[in-house]
């Protein structure tokens, strides 16, 4: 019989889960963020417009998010370990098949659909597992796990450019596929954890199969007003968030900088991203500021930095803006995932995170193609980055509308919200 923990242990084997999530975030979003190196290669090789090529990354991001409830439901039913291992295999297989592509459709299917689905089975269960192992130090643990994104983005952009120059884009994709298969190894480090709240879950033993399936996928959360408003905000944020990782390299090349100068912009942004995640984790866990206020601040600053990209026509200024974007965008990420358990309770973390990732996939699907379409229509990336910044600023405005944003009650009140009600009970609020 498994050992039941009354609350997250805040350490122990949890640090190994953080280590696993570190490598998983590196090999999922580190690869996605550095894929701009392949973007120019695909445009040149296939002779397609930027908007059409942008769909490769956008489909992958969207599938990773849209299929997240599947990963969450499977993790709830069978545990996160086998689900993450299966996802690691699929993500590597998709990149392997992409190296034989003869058309954009082939890349849509291999990278977009297959690798994207593998990323869905890896990312959401691993992040949720970190949240389940920590409570007081949850934001710091999440921030440490997500530093894998910053470090890998710093290393992968120039590495991928070197691989492309040495082996062409097909050989480079083969190497990236081999790297991605290491996600299977990372999955073995996720040890199952049984919490007391799991035994007192909302499931009804007498419910129908349809009802049990609905609970498994977290569908009762669709009637939870604050959760749905949070989802809307994150969707708007997500629409603009990834645009620099698809088009910033292309923007730099458009201004006349060589490929290594362009790739170095992403590397410097990645270092700033790493610093932002660590500072944000420490700042949130010291409880000097409310999580909601921290998130709104980071989101607004990220939007402003994106809107300033068109002003960076000289390399030093463009570098400075890239550093600001990397720091602010890195800082907001761990806060997003740390707030979620306080809204719905740790027992519903798998379902809520899956739904959040699925519904914000709208932003991931449309963001980069919309940016590419604006570039094709206007002839440069000015409108693209202005629109990206506007989406993040709109997301910060939605966050401000969450209940009791200007006040805060104890976190212990949050997990007891009745999910059958569209708003929190009288007298309770979100400790954001």
């Amino acid at each position: 019989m498994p050992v039941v923990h009354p609350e997250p242990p805040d350490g122990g084997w949890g640090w190994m889960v953080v280590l696993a999530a570190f490598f998983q975030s590196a090999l999922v979003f580190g690869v996605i963020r550095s894929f701009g190196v392949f973007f120019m290669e695909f445009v040149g090789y296939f002779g397609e417009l930027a908007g059409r090529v942008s769909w490769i990354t956008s489909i992958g991001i969207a599938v990773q998010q849209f299929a997240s409830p599947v990963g969450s439901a499977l993790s709830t039913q069978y545990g996160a370990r086998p689900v993450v291992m299966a996802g690691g295999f699929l993500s590597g297989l998709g990149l392997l098949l992409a190296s034989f592509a003869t058309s954009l459709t082939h890349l849509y299917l291999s990278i977009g659909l297959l690798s994207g689905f593998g990323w869905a089975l890896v990312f959401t269960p691993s992040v949720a597992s970190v949240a389940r192992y920590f409570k007081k130090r949850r934001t710091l643990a999440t921030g440490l796990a997500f530093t894998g994104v910053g470090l890998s983005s710093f290393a992968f952009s120039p590495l991928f450019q070197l691989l492309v120059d040495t082996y062409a884009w097909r050989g480079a994709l083969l190497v990236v596929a081999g790297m991605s298969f290491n996600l299977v190894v990372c999955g073995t480090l996720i040890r199952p954890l049984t919490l007391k709240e799991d035994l007192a879950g909302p499931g009804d033993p007498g419910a129908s199969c349809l009802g049990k399936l609905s609970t498994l996928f977290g569908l009762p959360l669709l009637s939870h007003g604050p959760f749905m408003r949070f989802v809307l905000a994150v969707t708007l944020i997500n629409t603009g968030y990834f645009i620099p990782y698809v088009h910033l390299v292309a923007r730099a090349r458009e201004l006349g900088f060589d490929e290594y100068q362009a790739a170095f912009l992403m590397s410097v942004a990645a270092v700033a991203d790493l610093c932002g995640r660590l500072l944000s984790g420490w700042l949130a866990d010291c409880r000097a500021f409310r999580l909601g206020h921290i998130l709104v601040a980071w989101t607004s600053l990220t939007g402003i930095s994106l809107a300033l990209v068109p002003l960076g026509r000289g390399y030093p200024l463009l570098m400075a803006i890239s550093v600001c974007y990397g720091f602010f965008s890195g800082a907001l990420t761990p806060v997003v995932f740390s707030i979620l358990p306080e809204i719905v309770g740790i027992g519903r973390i798998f379902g809520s995170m899956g739904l959040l990732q699925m519904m914000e996939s709208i932003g991931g699907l449309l963001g980069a193609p919309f940016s590419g379409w604006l570039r094709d229509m206007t002839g440069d990336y000015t409108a693209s980055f202005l629109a990206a910044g506007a989406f993040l600023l709109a997301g910060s405005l939605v966050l401000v509308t969450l209940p009791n944003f200007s006040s805060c009650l104890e976190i212990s009140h949050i997990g007891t919200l009745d999910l059958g009600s569209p708003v929190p009970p009288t007298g309770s609020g979100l400790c954001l």
Side-chain angles (χ1 to χ4, degrees), residues 282-291 294:
W282 172 81
L283 187 65
D285 284 345
C286 75
R287 302 297 178 181
F289 302 94
R290 296 167 186 164
L291 286 180
I294 294 173

Side-chain angles (χ1 to χ4, degrees), residues 8-20:
D10 258 322
W13 189 261
W15 294 115
M16 295 302 295
V17 177
V18 171
L19 179 64

Side-chain angles (χ1 to χ4, degrees), residues 45-332:
Y45 184 86
F46 295 105
E48 297 283 358
L49 294 174
R52 293 197 63 191
V53 176
S54 297
W55 279 98
I56 300 170
T57 306
S58 290
I59 291 173
I61 295 171
V63 170
Q64 179 268 317
Q65 294 171 335
F66 192 77
S68 288
V70 177
S72 299
L74 291 174
S75 297
T76 301
Q77 187 70 21
Y78 302 108
R81 177 183 285 173
V83 176
V84 171
M85 293 175 67
F89 175 77
L90 291 177
S91 63
L93 180 62
L95 291 167
L96 176 65
L97 294 176
S99 66
F100 300 98
T102 57
S103 67
L104 284 185
T105 302
H106 191 156
L107 292 174
Y108 294 159
L109 295 175
S110 55
I111 296 176
L113 292 181
L114 189 57
S115 290
F117 184 68
W119 294 331
L121 298 185
V122 169
F123 182 72
T124 303
S126 64
V127 176
S129 296
V130 172
R132 286 173 57 80
Y133 265 93
F134 292 87
K135 183 177 181 180
K136 294 180 181 178
R137 292 181 283 186
R138 181 177 293 143
T139 308
L140 178 60
T142 305
L144 288 172
F146 284 164
T147 56
V149 180
L151 289 174
S152 61
S153 298
F154 173 76
F156 286 177
S157 287
L159 173 62
F160 288 1
Q161 186 64 59
L162 178 62
L163 290 173
V164 168
D165 290 344
T166 305
Y167 304 110
W169 65 266
R170 295 185 188 275
L173 282 177
L174 282 175
V175 177
V176 177
M179 294 166 57
S180 295
F181 280 123
N182 285 286
L183 288 168
V184 178
V185 180
C186 296
T188 63
L189 294 176
I190 301 180
R191 179 181 293 175
L193 176 70
T194 303
L195 299 173
K196 184 178 180 180
E197 190 172 338
D198 298 332
L199 306 180
D204 180 6
S208 64
C209 291
L210 187 60
K212 291 179 179 178
L213 190 64
S214 173
T215 301
L216 193 64
F217 280 88
L219 297 185
L221 287 165
L222 295 177
S223 62
H224 191 287
F227 172 73
M228 293 304 297
R229 225 175 303 170
F230 181 72
V231 168
L232 173 60
V234 176
T235 301
L236 290 170
I237 293 170
N238 199 52
T239 304
Y241 186 91
F242 290 101
I243 286 175
Y245 295 100
V246 180
H247 291 149
L248 184 58
V249 170
R251 165 67 175 175
R253 296 287 298 276
E254 180 181 74
L255 293 173
F257 305 117
D258 65 45
E259 62 268 24
Y260 282 96
Q261 285 180 308
F264 189 66
L265 287 175
M266 299 307 303
S267 296
V268 173
V271 173
D273 178 289
L274 170 63
C275 297
R277 291 170 193 268
L278 292 175
L279 177 64
S280 180
W282 172 81
L283 187 65
D285 284 345
C286 75
R287 302 297 178 181
F289 302 94
R290 296 167 186 164
L291 286 180
H293 296 171
I294 294 173
L295 180 57
V296 169
W298 294 139
T299 302
S300 300
L301 290 170
T302 304
I304 292 171
S305 64
L306 279 174
L308 292 177
V309 169
L311 298 179
R313 296 188 173 275
Y315 195 74
L317 182 56
L318 186 59
M319 175 73 72
I321 294 172
S322 299
V323 169
C324 291
Y325 167 75
F327 183 87
F328 298 140
S329 64
L332 75 86

